[in-house]
Amino acid sequence: DTEVTQTPKHLVMGMTNKKSLKCEQHMGHRAMYWYKQKAKKPPELMFVYSYEKLSINESVPSRFSPECPNSSLLNLHLHALQPEDSALYLCASSQPGQQNQPQHFGDGTRLSIL
Amino acid sequence: GIQVEQSPPDLILQEGANSTLRCNFSDSVNNLQWFHQNPWGQLINLFYIPSGTKQNGRLSATTVATERYSLLYISSSQTTDSGVYFCAVRRRGSSNTGKLIFGQGTTLQVKP
């Protein structure tokens, strides 16, 4: 779903680095999501923002810090990550407040921790 | 929590063949989506289908909500259909920004 744009597409970082993943959507959606996907596994939810407020945190370690600066942007700040955090990070959006709305996914950021 | 089971786990087809992928879920749902994840990792929406039948070209899907299963039909398969097909659901009664629960996926390989 190219309507959700994620940058960068690939990121390699050391365990002491600080970096951020970015997600942007222009569909007017007011719910945005971060998922993590390990190789050969399905995506797993990390965070949900609804109307720019954090509504779900799936017990994610504090080295992952989400931020929703406005209704079309979602960031994931990374600090002191571990090698096991290497994965594909997917952003999604949907329209809350209405029944039966699908989630639309970006192409993901492939993250490698050295 | 709700369980989502997909079958078969792996499928190898010759180009031009038809196939049916199945998704069983253990509770009532208010959202069911089928996705195709291509070899580059892109997760592509195929269908949003909490109930009923939809068709899009060579693909079609049917969800029988009362019996808690969904089927994805691929006709005249092409090599570009290769990848992993995921079914994902959201439990009925949960918020409409609630989490999607993914099945383990069906890995499809279409040989030329």
Side-chain angles (χ1 to χ4, degrees):
Chain A
D1 288 27
T2 56
E3 296 162 324
V4 179
T5 304
Q6 291 188 241
T7 56
K9 293 192 184 306
H10 302 274
L11 179 62
V12 179
M13 57 187 287
M15 289 189 284
T16 58
N17 293 156
K18 288 184 181 181
K19 296 285 185 184
S20 297
L21 309 185
K22 297 187 184 301
C23 175
E24 188 170 9
Q25 57 87 14
H26 293 290
M27 293 182 283
H29 290 169
R30 300 300 297 277
M32 297 186 76
Y33 310 76
W34 281 116
Y35 288 81
K36 174 182 178 180
Q37 186 178 19
K38 299 285 282 183
K40 300 190 186 300
K41 294 288 187 182
E44 293 183 339
L45 183 69
M46 301 174 72
F47 302 103
V48 180
Y49 274 81
S50 181
Y51 297 98
E52 296 85 69
K53 287 184 167 46
L54 184 65
S55 60
I56 296 178
N57 176 342
E58 288 285 305
S59 302
V60 179
S62 60
R63 57 185 184 268
F64 296 91
S65 175
E67 178 197 20
C68 189
N70 61 55
S71 61
S72 61
L73 287 175
L74 184 66
N75 299 321
L76 186 63
H77 302 299
L78 314 173
H79 174 54
L81 294 195
Q82 303 298 308
E84 61 265 27
D85 298 322
S86 297
L88 179 67
Y89 289 83
L90 293 160
C91 173
S93 70
S94 71
Q95 186 65 303
Q98 299 179 22
Q99 288 298 320
N100 300 334
Q101 291 295 311
Q103 292 184 19
H104 298 260
F105 282 77
D107 289 345
T109 293
R110 199 167 293 279
L111 176 65
S112 298
I113 306 300
L114 300 178
Chain B
I2 190 169
Q3 305 296 315
V4 183
E5 294 182 358
Q6 291 186 241
S7 60
D10 300 282
L11 186 58
I12 300 175
L13 296 176
Q14 209 62 38
E15 199 167 26
N18 303 329
S19 63
T20 301
L21 281 57
R22 187 177 180 103
C23 172
N24 292 335
F25 42 95
S26 60
D27 203 347
S28 299
V29 300
N30 62 15
N31 181 342
L32 189 148
Q33 294 182 245
W34 281 100
F35 297 93
H36 173 216
Q37 190 163 42
N38 64 24
W40 297 271
Q42 294 173 313
L43 197 64
I44 299 162
N45 260 318
L46 297 177
F47 294 103
Y48 169 74
I49 188 166
S51 64
T53 298
K54 290 186 178 179
Q55 179 154 9
N56 184 2
R58 295 181 297 105
L59 302 181
S60 63
T62 294
T63 298
V64 184
T66 53
E67 297 187 22
R68 299 183 184 169
Y69 73 88
S70 184
L71 302 174
L72 177 69
Y73 305 96
I74 305 174
S75 64
S76 304
S77 58
Q78 300 175 358
T79 56
T80 51
D81 296 330
S82 297
V84 183
Y85 289 80
F86 287 108
C87 167
V89 305
R90 186 175 60 226
R91 185 180 54 81
R92 182 177 294 280
S94 61
S95 161
N96 60 15
T97 56
K99 63 192 290 184
L100 278 181
I101 306 298
F102 284 76
Q104 292 298 307
T106 292
T107 300
L108 173 64
Q109 182 182 0
V110 180
K111 294 188 171 181

